[in-house]
């Protein structure tokens, strides 16, 4: 690859034929990501996409970077291992709501608490797509799916609340078809030093069509999207006398502070909407600094390895009590 | 040496071992820990024991029937008495045989008084009070320090009894402890030694000559865990690949995590993962990035890693999985040994998912075994399972330290360039695919768990291609070069005893006794379970009778019958205890005489 500033969208398009259903939100995300990546200035060979299993998981095949399509839910663990071996890569994880929050829930929360330098893109379509339409851990109560013909009886996760509870240092939400907002969020995630969790509301036209219409639809979206901008007042959100945040008017205006150490503020923002059928905050909820997993260690170990030659190995093997027989 | 888990028997045992090794005896040791961390003090469940077997000749096992037992309390006596034969010597800490302690151990009356020990040579030594007397005048020594030092008193007595060099132990005490504790331990050790020397109770001193037949070289004592850690570090140094070790704590595998976690100085990265699935996945993710990815576990942990191992088979990336076997199923007997994961290692994955399987045959051989596992993984781009077990991990023996320069080379042979499009599923003479790691310009590619087209690696659901890939994956593994099986003993013996893994020494020792008694028996030992040595089938057919002893219900026997259509006799043991030389001797004789 020549000078990185000459990179274009085409440099990130692999020759693998995309195989999502027509109209799937995943196409929009892929196009946005491929258009955005040249801007990072990182040559494709230093970028790795790791994914789990699901429709979203196919993403890794379509980026002309290094990629690993792993196993269901284990993307964050695979990526953690890769990050621990290599601090010179830009590592991205693509996961679905089932992948990240059901089978892989444990790996997700631990990657976040460790603050592993990986960017996790959670494609939330509130359904199991690849397995053809079962309820997912983000499906709303009462949702009728193939596996819940009488309506889901299990309360859903709020992925951002979960991430904040898991000590995530960067938590954001965006929408598959928002060609401005999605890259802006990715830009901030890429600039963040530690783990970043980006929830992307993604429409599945086949098994859960319209789940995000209240936000995706141009007209309704104008009303319902509550954009979070650091340092700016949050439209439609006020603080009551008791300090609680709520949607509406008639309280004190609230200025967004994504850098607040105390996670309570970001958590309160994440609780403002429980499902995306009304006013919903979009943007960067939290972006704080905390030591990154292994940040100094990788360099320290590389330096140690440089000195770990035969002589060092001989010395190690001969340490402790030894005796010689001649 | 047996006592309550708080009595420091493992420490005393390992000190005696070091002195013995440095003196120049050959030896093998076996610690036996209680399953519970804090089993009630004074109970049989809380007994911790350490066994050592040493001689002036080649020692093959930690031994089966101890000649001397040190029992620090009634429970230790009760737990270990069944191992002894009449005539053995028992040194008891007489002070510990109070009425309450005797009852706690489950004796109705004191075994010192009621004839239980008839036929044994019993030496009643008031170890607690003698230790207290030896240390009470030292500055700053508390009565607790005195209590805790009685293991060193016992060690002192035993060291005199077998005329062990004292300087090794004293040097260790001074290096390890400071202040009053150092003083108390030294005083207790010396008091024990003097007691042996002066008391009329101990009337003989046993001299065990040096073993003069050992190969020249520099030696140290290692247990299987230490040797494995060194082997992994050696593989990292020799291959130039960073070692990334992912693990989730589980007995008895955790010790390897502990040993490697200390080795930042050698560039070792350990990660304590959130579970075994993650531990394996982290190692595999690191391998994708060009590291030597290793994961280690036991029991149920191997079940959890299965999914990732299957992915590694499909990705054809190097990965070393170490399984320190313990008694199962489920939680089973976590502190007891077994060899019951062989069939799981060979076959325990969905789909056709072949991989090389090796087994470590002795504590020191763990070094070579894990080094070879890593070499195969890297050379052939494949996950490799190394089977060790609790017995081999915890036992120790003198190990002839190799020279780093003479270790076999390991070349990761990364692909760095490509003429034309890079095809990640083309193959070399070993059927290994190219390993191109992120950061290499122009070789960007995607790999994953989906079946891939031969050569290009593109996703493929074509049936014929799948058949070809299935065969390629198997042929690659079965084409790995492994050394031929070697026969020990006469090639026309009446019986061949074929073992695998940690029973190596035991089988050799049992067979040696039979040969000394005039029996015609040969032995051979499998270190590679897949692929097996090429001469295995021919060799099995050469003998009229083949006996396969293992610490399971006949898994290797099952495999040998299936692969070679030969009849072998299985001898299985699943009591959580290693096979014993006497047991082998008996089983061999039984077959020779029928
Ligand atoms: C161990 C395991 N269990 C189950 C599956 C089947 N499976 C594949 S994808 C999937 C759910 C995918 O849902 P989600 O993560 O939301 O991704 P989407 O398809 O909606 O993008 C399941 C259950 C699997 N591949 N592996
Ligand atoms: S099933 Fe849904 S999520 Fe999956 S590809 Fe089709 S539309 Fe997209
Ligand atoms: Mg989904």
């Amino acid at each position: 690859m020549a000078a990185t500033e000459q990179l274009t969208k085409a440099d990130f398009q692999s020759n693998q034929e995309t195989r999502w259903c027509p109209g799937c939100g995943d196409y929009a995300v892929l196009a946005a990501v491929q258009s955005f990546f040249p801007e990072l200035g990182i040559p494709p060979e230093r970028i790795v996409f790791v994914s789990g299993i699901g429709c979203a998981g196919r993403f890794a095949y379509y980026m002309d970077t290094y990629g690993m399509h792993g196993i269901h839910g284990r993307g964050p663990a695979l990526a953690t291992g890769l990050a621990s071996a290599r601090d010179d890569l830009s590592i991205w994880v693509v996961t679905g709501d089932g992948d990240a929050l059901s089978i892989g829930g444990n790996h997700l929360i631990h990657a976040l608490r460790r603050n592993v330098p990986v960017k996790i893109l959670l494609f939330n379509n509130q359904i199991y797509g690849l397995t053809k339409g079962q309820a997912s851990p983000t499906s709303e109560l009462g949702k009728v799916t193939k596996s819940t013909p009488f309506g889901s009886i299990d309360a859903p996760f709020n992925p951002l609340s979960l991430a904040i509870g898991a000590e995530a240092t960067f938590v954001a939400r965006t929408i598959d078809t928002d060609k401005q907002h999605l890259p802006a969020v990715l830009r901030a995630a890429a600039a963040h030093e530690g783990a970043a969790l980006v929830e992307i509301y993604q429409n599945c036209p086949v098994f859960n069509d319209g789940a995000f219409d209240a936000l995706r639809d141009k007209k309704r979206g104008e009303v319902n999207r509550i954009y979070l901008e650091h340092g700016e007042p949050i439209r439609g959100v006020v603080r009551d006398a008791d300090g609680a945040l709520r949607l509406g008017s008639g309280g004190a205006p609230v200025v967004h502070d994504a850098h607040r150490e105390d996670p309570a503020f970001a958590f309160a923002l994440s609780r403002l909407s429980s499902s995306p059928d009304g006013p919903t905050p979009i943007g960067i909820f939290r972006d704080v600094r905390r030591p990154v997993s292994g940040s100094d260690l990788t360099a320290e170990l590389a330096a140690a390895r440089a000195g770990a030659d035969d002589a060092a190995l001989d010395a190690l093997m001969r340490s402790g009590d030894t005796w010689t027989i001649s | 040496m047996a006592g309550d888990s708080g009595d420091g028997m493992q420490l005393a045992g390992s000190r005696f071992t070091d002195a013995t090794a440095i003196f120049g005896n050959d030896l093998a040791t076996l610690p036996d820990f209680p399953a519970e961390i804090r089993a009630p003090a004074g109970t049989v469940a809380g007994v911790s024991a350490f066994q050592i077997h040493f001689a002036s000749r080649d020692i093959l096992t930690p031994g089966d029937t101890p000649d001397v037992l040190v029992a620090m309390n009634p429970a230790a006596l009760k737990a270990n008495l069944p191992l002894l034969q009449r005539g053995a010597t028992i040194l008891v800490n007489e002070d510990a045989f109070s009425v309450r302690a005797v009852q706690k151990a489950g004796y109705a009356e004191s075994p010192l008084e009621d004839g239980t020990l008839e036929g044994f040579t019993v030496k009643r030594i008031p170890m607690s009070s003698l230790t207290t007397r030896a240390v009470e005048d030292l500055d700053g020594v508390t009565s607790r320090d005195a209590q805790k030092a009685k293991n060193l008193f016992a060690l002192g007595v035993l060291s005199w009894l077998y005329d062990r060099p004292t300087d090794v132990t004293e040097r260790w005490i001074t290096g390890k402890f400071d202040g009053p504790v150092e003083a108390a331990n030294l005083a207790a050790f010396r008091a024990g030694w003097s007691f042996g020397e002066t008391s009329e109770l101990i009337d003989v001193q046993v001299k065990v000559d040096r073993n003069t037949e050992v190969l020249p070289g520099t030696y140290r004592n290692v247990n299987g865990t230490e040797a494995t850690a060194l082997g992994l570090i050696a593989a990292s140094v020799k291959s130039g690949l960073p070692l990334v070790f992912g693990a989730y704590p589980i007995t008895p595998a955790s010790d390897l995590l502990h040993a490697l976690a200390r080795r930042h100085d050698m560039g070792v990265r350990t990660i304590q993962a959130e579970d075994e699935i993650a531990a394996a996945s982290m190692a595999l993710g690191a391998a994708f990035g060009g590291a030597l990815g290793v994961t280690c576990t036991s029991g149920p942990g191997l079940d959890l890693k299965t999914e990732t191992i299957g992915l590694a088979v499909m990705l054809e990336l190097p990965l070393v999985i170490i399984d320190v076997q313990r008694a199962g199923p489920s939680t089973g007997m976590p502190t007891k040994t077994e060899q019951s994961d062989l069939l799981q290692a060979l076959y325990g994955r969905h789909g056709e998912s072949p991989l090389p399987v090796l087994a470590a045959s002795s504590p020191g051989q763990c070094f070579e075994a894990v080094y070879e596992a890593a070499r195969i993984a890297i050379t052939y781009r494949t996950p490799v399972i190394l089977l060790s077990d609790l017995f081999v991990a915890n036992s120790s023996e003198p190990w002839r330290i190799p020279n780093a320069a003479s270790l076999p080379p390991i070349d990761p042979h990364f692909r760095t360039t490509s003429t034309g499009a890079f095809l990640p599923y083309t193959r070399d003479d070993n059927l290994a695919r190219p390993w191109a790691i992120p950061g290499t310009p122009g070789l960007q590619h995607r790999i994953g768990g989906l079946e891939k087209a031969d050569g290009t690696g593109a996703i493929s659901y074509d049936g014929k291609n799948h058949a070809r890939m299935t065969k390629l994956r198997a042929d690659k593994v079965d084409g790995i070069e492994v050394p031929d099986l070697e026969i020990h003993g006469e090639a026309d013996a009446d019986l061949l005893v074929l073992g695998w893994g940690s029973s190596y020494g035991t089988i050799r020792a049992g067979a040696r006794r039979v040969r000394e008694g005039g029996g015609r028996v040969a032995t051979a030992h499998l270190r590679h379970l897949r692929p097996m040595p090429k001469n295995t089938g021919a060799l099995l057919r050469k003998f009229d009778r083949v006996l396969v002893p293992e610490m399971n219900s006949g898994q290797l026997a099952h495999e040998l019958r299936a692969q070679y259509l030969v009849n072998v006799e299985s001898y299985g043991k699943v009591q959580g205890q290693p096979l014993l030389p006497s047991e082998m001797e008996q089983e061999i004789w039984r077959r020779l005489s029928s």
Side-chain angles (χ1 to χ4, degrees):
Chain A
M1 191 52 54
T4 50
E5 56 269 24
Q6 290 163 12
L7 290 171
T8 65
K9 179 177 181 183
D11 291 315
F12 290 94
Q13 292 170 318
S14 80
N15 55 9
Q16 186 89 41
E17 186 192 335
T18 43
R19 292 262 188 90
W20 290 306
C21 309
C24 176
D26 291 350
Y27 283 108
V29 183
L30 177 64
V33 169
Q34 286 170 336
S35 307
F36 160 72
F37 260 65
E39 178 193 312
L40 279 179
I42 303 173
E45 71 266 15
R46 288 213 290 112
I47 298 168
V48 182
F49 272 81
V50 177
S51 64
I53 304 296
C55 299
R58 296 296 179 96
F59 199 95
Y61 284 111
Y62 306 140
M63 294 292 295
D64 195 7
T65 60
Y66 281 86
M68 189 200 283
H69 182 224
I71 28 182
H72 199 19
R74 322 297 175 207
L78 290 161
T80 298
L82 178 59
S84 74
R86 300 284 299 270
D87 61 0
D88 58 335
L89 303 174
S90 172
I91 304 172
W92 298 71
V93 172
V94 175
T95 178
D97 40 322
D99 196 66
L101 301 171
S102 197
I103 195 164
N106 200 25
H107 311 306
L108 178 75
I109 58 176
H110 286 275
L112 295 175
R113 79 151 168 108
R114 290 192 174 100
N115 208 23
V116 182
V118 298
K119 317 302 166 199
I120 301 171
L121 309 182
L122 196 174
F123 291 28
N124 184 4
N125 53 13
Q126 301 191 335
I127 199 82
Y128 279 17
L130 192 72
T131 45
K132 301 195 167 69
Q134 300 84 1
S136 93
T138 55
S139 297
E140 61 276 17
L141 263 180
K143 176 149 198 102
V144 174
T145 71
K146 282 184 192 156
S147 60
T148 54
F150 307 112
S152 167
I153 57 168
D154 298 320
F157 270 132
N158 177 324
L160 299 194
S161 302
L162 179 81
I164 294 162
E167 310 290 345
T169 52
F170 184 101
V171 175
R173 174 186 289 143
T174 186
I175 296 168
D176 53 4
T177 46
D178 194 328
K179 291 200 185 72
Q180 270 77 49
H181 193 258
L182 195 145
V185 168
L186 295 186
R187 195 172 297 127
H192 180 72
E193 281 181 352
L197 180 91
V198 179
E199 179 187 27
I200 303 174
Y201 281 155
Q202 174 245 324
N203 192 42
C204 167
V206 175
F207 296 111
N208 199 17
D209 195 24
F212 308 102
D213 279 0
L215 299 165
R216 283 173 112 228
D217 181 84
K218 200 160 187 299
K219 275 233 171 61
R220 291 176 66 198
E222 262 169 37
V223 181
N224 286 326
R225 291 183 189 196
I226 302 172
Y227 284 109
L228 302 174
E229 306 271 4
H230 177 72
E232 301 291 325
I234 307 174
R235 181 182 62 83
V237 176
V238 293
R239 195 184 288 283
D240 280 338
D242 64 1
L245 298 187
R246 75 174 158 80
L247 295 171
S249 54
V254 180
V255 172
H256 184 42
D257 180 4
H259 304 322
R260 202 181 291 199
E261 215 53 57
D262 175 10
F265 178 66
F267 189 81
L269 287 174
S270 78
R271 306 308 292 174
L272 287 173
S273 69
S274 58
S275 64
D277 50 11
T280 302
I282 300 292
I284 298 157
F285 287 61
R286 177 169 170 79
D287 182 0
V288 298
R289 293 173 73 118
R290 185 156 66 75
V292 172
S293 170
S295 52
D296 302 326
L297 190 58
T298 312
E300 180 196 326
L301 296 181
R305 241 183 17 259
D309 52 8
D310 279 4
L313 179 58
D314 279 328
L316 176 69
M317 293 195 292
R318 281 161 182 72
S319 58
D321 283 327
T322 62
W323 64 97
T324 299
I325 292 174
S326 41
Chain B
M1 284 166 250
D4 199 60
S5 28
D7 284 344
M9 289 297 100
Q10 302 303 326
L11 185 148
S14 55
R15 288 309 96 214
F16 189 88
T17 302
D18 268 16
T20 299
I22 289 173
F23 174 72
N25 293 135
D26 196 14
L27 64 89
T29 71
L30 176 65
D32 185 17
F33 306 104
E36 284 82 28
I37 309 284
R38 301 241 185 281
T43 62
V44 171
V47 172
S48 169
F50 186 97
Q51 184 170 316
I52 176 167
H53 183 199
F54 59 102
S56 55
R57 73 163 182 183
D58 191 17
I59 282 287
L60 298 166
T61 75
D64 37 13
T65 51
D67 296 312
V68 176
L69 169 69
V70 180
M72 299 303 283
N73 68 4
L77 180 67
K78 179 146 200 196
N80 290 282
L81 197 56
L83 296 178
L84 307 190
Q85 281 172 355
R86 302 267 153 188
T89 299
I90 304 174
L91 312 181
V92 296
N93 176 14
E94 187 178 23
D95 292 331
F97 282 69
S98 67
V99 175
R100 256 197 80 216
V102 161
Q103 285 171 350
K104 242 191 183 162
Y107 283 117
E109 273 176 73
S110 172
L112 302 182
E113 314 290 350
D114 69 355
T116 304
L117 302 182
E118 216 166 287
F120 294 99
T121 308
V122 182
K123 313 278 185 189
R124 299 165 62 150
I125 310 172
M127 297 192 202
S128 306
S129 43
L130 288 174
T131 306
T132 305
R133 206 172 316 147
V135 308
E136 65 192 351
D137 292 339
L138 298 172
D139 256 5
V141 171
T142 62
S143 58
R144 193 162 169 272
D145 296 336
Q147 262 307 306
K148 294 199 83 167
K150 64 178 182 295
N151 59 337
L152 282 138
F153 182 92
L155 176 63
V157 178
L158 212 53
S159 300
W160 184 84
L161 183 62
Y162 284 103
D163 196 21
R164 304 289 89 185
T166 52
D167 54 330
V168 183
T169 306
E170 296 198 356
R171 211 180 328 123
W172 183 85
I173 295 172
T174 1
K176 178 86 181 176
F177 304 104
D178 301 312
V181 178
E182 174 190 341
N185 282 332
L186 263 184
F189 176 68
R190 287 174 181 162
W193 175 277
S194 317
F195 179 85
E197 197 169 29
T198 53
S199 165
E200 284 170 11
L201 200 59
I202 301 192
D203 39 9
V204 284
Q205 193 179 33
V206 183
K207 305 242 181 209
V208 181
D209 282 344
R210 287 184 170 77
N211 178 5
T212 50
E213 280 169 21
V214 285
L215 288 172
T218 299
Y219 286 76
R220 68 183 275 191
N221 233 340
V222 285
N223 65 26
T225 302
E226 291 158 353
T228 307
L230 290 171
L232 287 172
I233 293 170
S236 166
V237 169
K238 299 302 282 188
S239 64
L241 303 182
L243 175 56
V244 175
F245 181 89
Y248 185 79
I250 187 164
T251 303
S254 309
D255 288 339
L256 186 58
L257 170 63
H258 307 161
L260 288 169
R262 287 197 295 267
R263 290 273 75 97
H264 279 188
D265 58 346
M266 298 300 284
V268 178
R269 177 74 179 263
T270 56
I271 314 175
Q272 183 179 328
E274 55 269 25
D275 58 29
E276 284 89 349
I277 301 172
S281 295
M282 287 173 185
L284 184 59
F288 184 63
L292 170 56
V294 181
T295 186
C296 177
T297 191
S298 183
L302 186 63
D303 302 359
L304 288 184
K305 290 183 197 293
T306 302
E307 185 194 33
T308 309
I309 298 171
L311 177 64
V313 168
M314 204 60 165
L315 296 182
E316 301 192 44
L317 280 174
L319 178 69
V320 175
I321 305 107
I322 301 164
D323 175 22
V324 189
Q325 298 166 95
R326 65 185 216 186
S330 189
T331 309
M333 300 198 288
T335 59
K336 303 292 171 195
T337 199
E338 213 160 83
Q339 293 180 300
S340 45
D341 298 348
L342 174 60
L343 292 179
Q344 177 177 16
L346 291 171
Y347 299 112
R349 291 162 296 282
H350 74 278
E352 298 208 355
S353 189
L355 51 75
V357 177
L358 284 76
S361 56
S362 79
Q365 202 268 336
C366 284
F367 178 90
E368 203 183 305
V370 80
Y371 189 88
E372 180 65 359
R375 193 192 66 79
I376 290 174
I378 292 167
T379 309
Y380 293 86
R381 320 320 197 187
T382 176
V384 176
I385 294 182
L386 172 65
L387 294 171
S388 91
D389 59 36
L390 185 144
F391 174 60
V392 81
N394 288 348
S395 320
S396 76
E397 64 178 2
W399 174 57
R400 191 160 158 260
I401 306 170
N403 283 317
S406 58
L407 292 170
I410 304 179
D411 183 3
H413 200 73
F414 290 130
R415 179 65 62 87
T416 52
T417 54
S418 173
T419 41
F422 172 56
L423 304 178
Y425 279 77
T426 50
R427 290 173 195 279
D428 67 11
D429 295 344
N430 291 326
L431 297 182
R433 73 175 194 87
W435 189 10
I437 62 171
T440 316
L443 302 194
Q444 292 93 282
H445 63 285
R446 277 68 51 195
I447 54 177
L450 291 168
E451 183 61 284
K452 30 199 110 343
D454 188 10
T456 67
I459 300 169
S460 167
Y461 295 154
D462 176 68
K464 290 219 170 79
N465 175 73
H466 176 58
R468 192 158 62 245
M469 293 300 279
T470 301
K471 182 159 188 315
L472 272 170
R473 286 187 285 263
D475 287 351
K476 176 175 85 168
V477 171
D478 291 330
I480 293 170
E481 295 226 17
V482 307
D484 269 355
L485 258 185
E486 277 174 36
I487 294 275
H488 190 81
E490 292 157 300
D492 63 345
D494 300 329
L495 176 74
L496 172 71
V497 187
L498 178 66
W500 70 278
S502 70
S503 53
Y504 170 71
T506 308
I507 293 173
R508 289 271 293 251
R512 177 163 76 186
R513 290 184 196 177
V514 171
R515 277 199 293 272
E516 282 164 1
R520 286 168 41 80
V521 61
T523 60
H525 208 73
L526 281 169
R527 295 195 170 86
H528 289 265
L529 282 314
R530 177 154 192 184
M532 290 200 193
K534 285 203 184 65
N535 65 338
T536 307
L539 217 142
L540 290 174
R541 283 187 201 98
K542 256 193 7 221
F543 288 86
D544 288 343
R545 290 183 84 168
V546 179
L547 174 64
V548 180
E550 27 182 355
M551 292 184 275
N552 61 48
S553 306
Q555 299 190 15
L556 178 63
H558 178 97
E559 181 62 19
L560 293 172
R561 290 176 192 137
Q563 272 200 46
Y564 301 110
L565 294 174
V566 291
N567 191 19
V568 298
E569 290 172 55
S570 169
Y571 177 73
K573 179 177 184 183
V574 281
Q575 299 173 10
Q577 292 297 331
L579 294 164
L580 300 174
S582 51
E583 183 181 11
M584 283 330 320
E585 183 185 6
Q586 202 182 330
E587 291 302 322
I588 293 169
W589 274 126
R590 203 160 56 182
R591 280 156 186 91
L592 288 181
S593 55
S594 69

